[in-house]
Amino acid sequence: AFVYNRYKQSENGGIQNDTLLDVASYADRQLVPVNLPALSLGSGNAAVTNTLRDYDLYLQNNYSFGKTDTIYNKDSTGVTIQFTPRFRIKHQLQLHSEKHIYRDMAPESTPIPNGPNRYAFIDPSFTFNASDSVYGVQNWFFIDNKFSLNGFVGKRKELVQIEAGIGNRIDRFNADYVSGNNTQSSVGNYVFGEIKKEAFSAGQWTYQASGIFFFTGSALGNFDIRASAGKDLGKWGMFSAGFRQNLSNAPYAYSTFRTNFYDRSYDFDKTSITQLWGNVFIDKIRVEVGVRNYLIANYLYYNSSLTPTQQSDALSVLQIYGGKEFRFGIFSLDNEVIWQQPTANAPVHLPALLLRHKFAIETTLFRKALRVAVGIEGRYHTPYYSDGYTPYFNQFYLQDTYKVDNVPECSAFFNFKIKRFRAFVLGDQLQQFISKNVINAPGYPAQNALLRFGFTWILIN
């Protein structure tokens, strides 16, 4: 497998004040004043850009030993070959790269005439010439090479897979800032294992447990353990539960950010995350309820001064969610609610309540050849101090001065399916016709009302 993504974002720093959205002269949202300049007067190109690029190359080889059965149909005109594995040798190779490129082609500009330089939050004494530009690249590249042995226990439809192996990983972190670069490399070795059983029919248990532990390199002591179990109860539904425990180094993006004008480097402790969750779905009455809890120690975040900060005290976030669908012939009403609460004084701001409701008409036409769904959807969250966004580091930061308080978001949709062809038309942000734009983060309103459409067509030869 090979996956490549590249995303270039032109930054405007957000609008200067959301009250401008109520001003009639700014009905054309392109005219609303923003905090960061264009590359040149009248230009549509931004002076500040963030470019993110990543790719993955993955190769897996395995050879299985087992039992082969030949199964014939009733009149012996057809034959099916079934293979039940008993032992497998597997090798996996992954190459992964992430790059973040920050550019500011006009750092001498100020948000207001005679105001402070835009980089005063880093160093008030900064001065720039008209020809200066700020440039910095953060790179992360690793090669992960692992070998494992796999065993299979039980009957073909009740197989339990057991895997154990060893791996080697080479990490390389690099900061490039025109006048030089800073490189860190690490070689780590680890052991890993997994036990897994899938449910091939109703009433069976499904479970999975896996773990990885680093015993050399800068990741020494890091581990990731997870386990889950569930059971299909047939027409009554199913339930599942699980946990995950993770200990890892601080991300490179938090500990190092270097450009040709400034260097920000920090030394952080390892972060520990514990997650517990449970979920019950009752198919007969179309009800789902669940709970999640996150316990985080040495939590990393950007504070209101745009400085990476680590909180040593553990914090907890509890989430309780539920859903209920009502059906009346071709009519359906789907409802979802989430309640969440972090521990007191935690550097995490979340809306206490989230609601989503969807009313739809679903039916078939033309002798069931055409399946259609048409309806409306509403989404709402209670007011909260949403994290702010800083284009200077392409990160979100904690803030407690601006509370996001939006009206419910509304959309209307029309979906249809003909055999393997699916298409949709969606009118989104429809509430904007009677209200100002929804605010996603301080200074960053959502789009005007807009139309989306798309299709999927699966071709089988």
Side-chain angles (χ1 to χ4, degrees):
F2 178 74
V3 178
Y4 178 86
N5 296 291
R6 184 178 184 275
Y7 177 70
K8 183 177 181 180
Q9 179 168 295
S10 294
E11 303 284 4
N12 61 22
I15 63 176
Q16 292 183 3
N17 198 310
D18 67 340
T19 59
L20 299 174
L21 298 173
D22 295 319
V23 178
S25 57
Y26 295 126
D28 182 354
R29 298 307 195 212
Q30 297 181 84
L31 303 177
V32 177
V34 295
N35 290 309
L36 293 180
L39 189 57
S40 59
L41 186 62
S43 170
N45 298 316
V48 179
T49 58
N50 280 294
T51 304
L52 304 174
R53 187 227 64 188
D54 65 80
Y55 71 79
D56 279 280
L57 175 63
Y58 178 79
L59 176 67
Q60 175 177 310
N61 300 279
N62 61 75
Y63 190 85
S64 299
F65 304 84
K67 180 182 178 181
T68 301
D69 293 324
T70 303
I71 300 176
Y72 294 91
N73 60 2
K74 291 182 179 181
D75 57 4
S76 299
T77 59
V79 61
T80 302
I81 305 298
Q82 290 185 344
F83 176 70
T84 303
R86 291 302 176 192
F87 182 71
R88 176 182 296 160
I89 301 172
K90 183 165 67 173
H91 169 253
Q92 299 171 80
L93 175 66
Q94 181 184 8
L95 278 70
H96 175 83
S97 175
E98 293 182 21
K99 177 183 286 189
H100 171 215
I101 304 172
Y102 173 77
R103 285 189 177 93
D104 186 348
M105 305 301 292
E108 82 288 351
S109 60
T110 56
I112 56 176
N114 303 317
N117 186 278
R118 291 192 282 107
Y119 291 88
F121 70 95
I122 295 177
D123 186 348
S125 64
F126 269 164
T127 58
F128 297 97
N129 297 318
S131 60
D132 285 339
S133 62
V134 179
Y135 177 83
V137 179
Q138 276 67 40
N139 283 288
W140 175 31
F141 173 78
F142 72 74
I143 301 176
D144 194 0
N145 199 24
K146 54 187 177 182
F147 174 82
S148 63
L149 302 177
N150 300 254
F152 300 84
V153 181
K155 299 179 181 179
R156 184 175 183 274
K157 292 188 177 182
E158 297 181 356
L159 280 180
V160 177
Q161 179 181 346
I162 303 173
E163 180 180 19
I166 189 169
N168 171 266
R169 179 161 149 170
I170 302 173
D171 285 89
R172 184 175 182 270
F173 303 97
N174 175 264
D176 183 5
Y177 45 94
V178 181
S179 58
N181 62 76
N182 179 38
T183 303
Q184 304 173 25
S185 297
S186 174
V187 179
N189 297 291
Y190 60 91
V191 292
F192 65 96
E194 181 182 39
I195 180 170
K196 178 172 64 175
K197 178 185 178 297
E198 298 182 16
F200 294 95
S201 60
Q204 286 190 339
W205 282 90
T206 175
Y207 56 81
Q208 180 178 6
S210 62
I212 179 173
F213 176 79
F214 280 83
F215 59 88
T216 65
S218 63
L220 174 65
N222 288 359
F223 64 87
D224 189 1
I225 301 172
R226 62 184 76 188
S228 62
K231 188 173 184 179
D232 187 345
L233 304 176
K235 65 179 181 179
W236 288 99
M238 66 176 298
F239 75 90
S240 58
F243 83 93
R244 180 179 181 181
Q245 175 66 58
N246 175 274
L247 182 69
S248 60
N249 293 347
Y252 183 68
Y254 276 82
S255 58
T256 302
F257 194 95
R258 191 162 189 173
T259 71
N260 51 332
F261 277 92
Y262 55 88
D263 179 9
R264 304 187 83 185
S265 299
Y266 304 90
D267 187 16
F268 293 116
D269 294 329
K270 295 177 183 289
T271 299
S272 171
I273 302 176
T274 305
Q275 180 185 359
L276 298 170
W277 60 270
N279 178 277
V280 177
F281 176 70
I282 306 175
D283 184 52
K284 194 171 184 178
I285 57 176
R286 298 182 181 274
V287 169
E288 180 182 15
V289 292
V291 60
R292 299 187 189 96
N293 188 79
Y294 298 87
L295 179 65
I296 307 174
N298 293 331
Y299 175 67
L300 274 169
Y301 66 99
Y302 273 74
N303 63 22
S304 57
S305 301
L306 307 185
T307 302
T309 306
Q310 187 168 50
Q311 174 167 302
S312 57
D313 295 337
L315 64 93
S316 176
V317 176
L318 175 65
Q319 294 179 324
I320 300 175
Y321 60 93
K324 166 65 178 173
E325 184 182 11
F326 298 91
R327 283 195 174 272
F328 312 94
I330 63 174
F331 301 97
S332 70
L333 178 62
D334 189 14
N335 307 275
E336 183 179 4
V337 58
I338 299 176
W339 177 85
Q340 51 191 6
Q341 182 66 51
T343 51
N345 301 320
V348 176
H349 293 157
L350 299 169
L353 194 65
L354 299 97
L355 303 172
R356 184 188 65 83
H357 304 280
K358 181 180 70 174
F359 176 76
I361 300 174
E362 301 177 10
T363 187
T364 56
L365 302 171
F366 304 110
R367 297 182 179 179
K368 298 184 179 181
L370 172 65
R371 183 171 182 83
V372 299
V374 58
I376 57 175
E377 181 180 79
R379 304 176 298 278
Y380 174 75
H381 64 75
T382 52
Y384 77 110
Y385 291 102
S386 167
D387 283 351
Y389 171 72
T390 170
Y392 299 105
F393 305 108
N394 195 41
Q395 294 281 356
F396 286 87
Y397 64 90
L398 191 73
Q399 63 88 27
D400 56 6
T401 58
Y402 183 95
K403 180 174 284 191
V404 172
D405 186 3
N406 294 321
V407 300
E409 298 179 62
C410 299
S411 59
F413 59 88
F414 173 70
N415 306 332
F416 67 91
K417 176 186 176 184
I418 305 174
K419 293 185 177 180
R420 299 185 184 92
F421 180 85
R422 298 183 181 187
F424 74 90
V425 179
L426 173 69
D428 202 2
Q429 300 295 318
L430 300 184
Q431 79 291 338
Q432 198 270 330
F433 285 119
I434 58 175
S435 177
K436 72 177 183 180
N437 302 67
V438 164
I439 305 297
N440 292 321
Y444 287 90
Q447 306 101 313
N448 292 340
L450 70 157
L451 192 67
R452 306 178 191 270
F453 61 91
F455 69 90
T456 300
W457 194 0
I458 301 175
L459 302 177
I460 300 177
N461 185 2

